[in-house]
Amino acid sequence: MGEKEQGVLKIAVIYPELLGTYGDGGNGLVLVERARLRGYEAELTSVAIDEPLPDAQIYLLGGGEDGPQRRATEALHTDRSIAHRLNDGALLFAVCAGLQIVGISFAVEGGSRHSGLGLVPLETVRGEKRRVGEILVDVDGRDLVGFENHAGHTYPHDAEPLGLVKRGYGNDGVVDGVYQGGVIGTYAHGPVLAMNPWLADELLGHAIGHLLEEIDTPADRLYEARRKAVRHSPRTP
Ligand code: GLN
């Protein structure tokens, strides 16, 4: 990662009024605050459904119910700019419904299938049951904690997953999320970047172009406590 030309670091939360039911917009706040704590100028924008996507280095998609998820996908198809922005080096961090949207297709209640943005080769069908509870994912030896609440079962095909599921379900009971071509996704809510500050720092490091110095905030300490608690909790069937 080479240092990138640094102006204001722009972070855009896409359609929080549709994809914000689980507080995932908080991921944007975490990124901005952790960048500022390192002395970077950072700006957070919320994009409304009728607005074009602004220029940003990191875009965020959150989770949501089936109906809003479909509407958000249609709006992103109409906007058409996200793939170009990723080609130009932007990152997209997507949670749950957001993760399903960035794939090739997803099915919602009643079975109807919808075209996703096709940014990564994921396909989501309706699973046998809704997956609700704690999730623990091993991401290259680091623990990612959060909670999941979704009916989707996501086939990764050739997509590079974010990590291996240790507790909970994730995409398919084996892997969770995606980490490929500027798209980082997970089924974990929390907001997941508040619960896992190291992942926020990894995203910031990519956007800025180098690893960031460690900081010690209450969130970093809470993460340590949480991951130990989840590791020692009983496995869910
Ligand atoms: N509507 C999707 C599902 O149930 C996503 C839910 C969510 O974002 N939590 O699978």
Side-chain angles (χ1 to χ4, degrees):
M1 292 191 286
E3 171 96 37
K4 298 188 185 165
E5 206 183 305
Q6 210 54 67
V8 179
L9 181 70
K10 292 189 178 142
I11 292 156
V13 179
I14 301 175
Y15 313 150
E17 74 275 37
L18 295 175
L19 300 174
T21 37
Y22 300 88
D24 296 319
N27 289 327
L29 276 176
V30 172
L31 289 171
V32 164
E33 288 307 321
R34 291 185 76 85
R36 287 181 184 156
L37 283 171
R38 268 71 170 238
Y40 292 96
E41 249 190 283
E43 189 181 281
L44 181 63
T45 315
S46 289
V47 190
I49 184 82
D50 51 356
E51 287 174 355
L53 293 193
D55 259 344
Q57 285 98 318
I58 306 179
Y59 295 91
L60 300 166
L61 280 172
E65 303 306 325
D66 289 354
Q69 177 176 344
R70 280 200 321 263
R71 274 194 65 207
T73 310
E74 281 159 21
L76 286 166
H77 276 305
T78 308
D79 181 273
R80 292 161 59 128
S81 70
I82 193 78
H84 303 297
R85 291 172 193 278
L86 292 181
N87 273 339
D88 292 345
L91 299 176
L92 173 59
F93 183 65
V95 174
C96 201
L99 172 70
Q100 298 176 4
I101 288 171
V102 298
I104 297 161
S105 69
F106 60 86
V108 294
E109 209 174 336
S112 66
R113 275 167 78 81
H114 299 270
S115 292
L117 301 177
L119 300 172
V120 285
L122 297 173
E123 240 175 314
T124 300
V125 299
R126 271 334 249 194
E128 293 148 30
K129 59 176 190 169
R130 199 162 187 89
R131 307 290 173 170
V132 185
E134 301 271 15
I135 181 168
L136 173 68
V137 182
D138 178 331
V139 181
D140 294 331
R142 273 188 295 197
D143 287 338
L144 178 124
V145 293
F147 72 91
E148 59 184 336
N149 180 358
H150 58 100
H153 171 104
T154 299
Y155 291 104
H157 295 298
D158 294 333
E160 195 62 42
L162 179 64
L164 301 174
V165 171
K166 299 288 175 200
R167 296 277 191 287
Y169 195 74
N171 294 2
D172 57 357
V174 181
V175 298
D176 177 59
V178 69
Y179 199 152
Q180 187 171 322
V183 180
I184 300 104
T186 175
Y187 266 108
H189 298 288
V192 66
L193 298 185
M195 288 179 78
N196 302 271
W198 65 266
L199 185 57
D201 290 352
E202 194 158 315
L203 290 174
L204 288 171
H206 273 285
I208 289 166
H210 60 82
L211 292 177
L212 300 182
E213 87 220 35
E214 302 259 319
I215 48 175
D216 184 26
T217 69
D220 295 85
R221 274 165 260 147
L222 277 171
Y223 163 71
E224 284 303 327
R226 225 177 257 127
R227 84 187 181 87
K228 281 180 195 143
V230 179
R231 265 195 175 277
H232 295 118
S233 67
R235 284 175 189 277
T236 39

